[in-house]
Amino acid sequence: MSEVIADGEEVVFDGDVPTDPNHVYELLMGALSENGRAVVKFIVDGVDTVASGDTPSTYDKIEVFSLSHDELTLRLIIESMNHLSTAEKEFEAYIRNILSVAWSDVFQRMNEFITKVQPFADLLDNLSPYAQTYNPPWKESLEKVTREQAESLGVILTSFQQGNPSSLSDELSINFLPVFKRARKLFSENIIPFLQEKVKVA
């Protein structure tokens, strides 16, 4: 008989145990989501289908592992912040070079710059659903930083498109870098401690 284990406990279904792993996944996702949790591993007969992206049509044993939305969000933030640990110095170096090297060199490094900015933009975007759902005390501050960051990125991309190094330099130094610093401060002083406390209490 097929067996489903979620976070170390056998799952009891209303009626017969579903035979399709996809159906099991949908049912558990719904039940866990109602309890503020998300599936992080869905192991079907020893294979993690979340990682592989390939779910078989039958199973003998399914093991499900979940994390609270608080813990999942905290992990995402810490991983992203670690990835961004050197970004501030790199942005500062980039700003210094804009007006001192040939524009063609600056332009060629545009993709490199966007690649460095993307994790920061993604982090803010990925945190928005959590803030909308749980309405934490730092929600408005996050929304403000997210809005300012998006506006600044728009000006930066326009400066690149127009081939305008002085506009790019001004936007990066006057707006983008201060927003980036404020966001890091918000994460370290408000968001991360808030989530750590929530995870600890849970």
Side-chain angles (χ1 to χ4, degrees), residues 99-117:
L99 299 178
S100 60
V101 300
W103 173 249
S104 57
D105 292 339
V106 173
F107 190 78
Q108 281 173 357
R109 292 181 60 193
M110 179 177 74
N111 287 339
E112 184 185 327
F113 175 80
I114 299 298
T115 302
K116 284 182 172 42
V117 171

Side-chain angles (χ1 to χ4, degrees), residues 151-200:
E151 288 169 359
S152 185
L153 277 184
V155 175
I156 288 166
L157 290 174
T158 300
S159 300
F160 273 120
Q161 289 164 357
Q162 294 175 344
N164 190 334
S166 60
S167 171
L168 178 62
S169 176
D170 285 349
E171 184 58 34
L172 284 169
S173 55
I174 295 168
N175 292 319
F176 179 80
L177 196 56
V179 168
F180 181 78
K181 289 177 178 177
R182 277 205 311 281
R184 286 192 59 147
K185 189 167 187 263
L186 178 64
F187 278 106
S188 62
E189 294 184 3
N190 299 94
I191 299 176
I192 291 174
F194 171 86
L195 289 168
Q196 286 173 329
E197 189 60 33
K198 296 271 283 185
V199 168
K200 190 168 71 177

Side-chain angles (χ1 to χ4, degrees), residues 3-11 37 61-66:
E3 181 183 21
V4 180
I5 308 289
D7 294 325
E9 294 184 12
E10 186 171 357
V11 177
R37 301 186 72 81
K61 182 178 182 180
I62 290 176
E63 291 178 275
V64 180
F65 297 90
S66 71

